[in-house]
Amino acid sequence: MKRVTLLAEVQHDLCRGCKVCEKVCPVLAISVSDKKAKVKADECRGCTNCESRCPFYAIKMVKREEPFTIGVDASKHDPNTIRELCEKAHLNPEQILCYCVGVRAEEVAAAILEGAKTPEEVSSRTGIRTGCTIECVQPLLRMIEAAGLELKQVENGWQWYGITPTAWTLPETVVEKYNKRGFYFQEDRDLLDRVVNTKREGEEI
């Protein structure tokens, strides 16, 4: 859940239509046409990515006159279904995926169950990846893949580049090679699985 208080505003006299803003927006709220960037105000989540990456300083963040809150209520969904999806991605439903915004795995799962099919759609609904836009992308991609959805990057976009290996997906040849050098991959997996399978007090599944 996120309180959206900022809005990207384009200074058209400085904009060169380079499309950097379009390539880095995590919710696809800004696009370039007729060599000028245009912001969809109701879709902007105030992450400041476009402002910080514009090479011509043509974008500034302004306070919204009417801030609003985005988020998905996981309690409206069957907890078993939420947990099943999270565990398939090797995540605990209560695990915080986005520390900037405070989005938990269960909220991402709920967004997917409500029809979000891409990282950009999940980000728009929950606010995940609209803080630093970096650290939480990997668990987000894992959640989408666990739901059986196709991960398709935005054409020419820089929003994300693909899933990185995890303790569960490392090739066995790599595991065997580095186990001999003092790495404990199986122990790591076992510990992480304990975190994944930890349940709320009183939860029965």
Side-chain angles (χ1 to χ4, degrees):
M1 183 174 291
K2 178 182 181 177
R3 184 70 173 167
V4 182
T5 61
L6 298 176
L7 173 66
E9 185 177 90
V10 180
Q11 301 179 75
H12 293 291
D13 57 325
L14 298 177
C15 180
R16 308 274 186 89
C18 69
K19 295 190 176 183
V20 167
C21 58
E22 182 178 294
K23 293 178 179 180
V24 301
C25 179
V27 294
L28 311 182
I30 189 167
S31 59
V32 175
S33 60
D34 300 324
K35 298 184 179 181
K36 295 295 179 184
K38 297 177 178 62
V39 178
K40 300 171 187 173
D42 59 334
E43 296 181 19
C44 175
R45 297 298 181 251
C47 73
T48 77
N49 224 21
C50 56
E51 178 193 47
S52 62
R53 298 288 292 277
C54 178
F56 305 107
Y57 306 100
I59 300 173
K60 65 178 181 179
M61 304 306 295
V62 298
K63 286 187 177 181
R64 286 181 176 271
E65 293 183 5
E66 297 182 9
F68 58 91
T69 300
I70 56 172
V72 180
D73 187 355
S75 68
K76 294 181 178 180
H77 297 270
D78 175 33
N80 292 340
T81 305
I82 292 284
R83 176 170 284 279
E84 182 181 354
L85 177 53
C86 292
E87 288 185 353
K88 195 172 181 181
H90 299 290
L91 296 165
N92 187 289
E94 290 191 274
Q95 195 168 336
I96 295 176
L97 305 188
C98 180
Y99 286 93
C100 296
V101 179
V103 177
R104 298 177 185 270
E106 61 185 359
E107 188 176 351
V108 172
I112 293 171
L113 292 174
E114 290 184 7
K117 292 180 171 58
T118 67
E120 293 75 31
E121 288 177 3
V122 175
S123 296
S124 181
R125 295 186 188 207
T126 67
I128 190 173
R129 210 166 48 108
T130 63
C132 72
T133 75
I134 299 170
E135 296 296 334
C136 54
V137 68
Q138 286 303 316
L140 170 56
L141 297 181
R142 282 160 54 191
M143 288 288 290
I144 291 174
E145 186 177 60
L149 298 170
E150 180 184 3
L151 284 171
K152 187 176 182 181
Q153 291 174 265
V154 177
E155 186 175 355
N156 299 319
W158 300 340
Q159 285 85 358
W160 52 275
Y161 297 100
I163 294 180
T164 56
T166 68
W168 299 275
T169 60
L170 285 171
E172 285 305 315
T173 53
V174 173
V175 172
E176 291 176 10
K177 177 180 179 180
Y178 287 96
N179 272 342
K180 299 174 183 176
R181 302 185 184 182
F183 290 82
Y184 300 96
F185 293 109
Q186 187 56 54
E187 289 84 348
D188 288 344
R189 290 174 187 168
D190 292 342
L191 178 59
L192 290 167
D193 281 334
R194 285 171 59 192
V195 172
V196 170
N197 295 317
T198 299
K199 296 176 174 57
R200 293 186 179 94
E201 185 176 350
E203 182 180 11
E204 295 183 5
I205 294 182

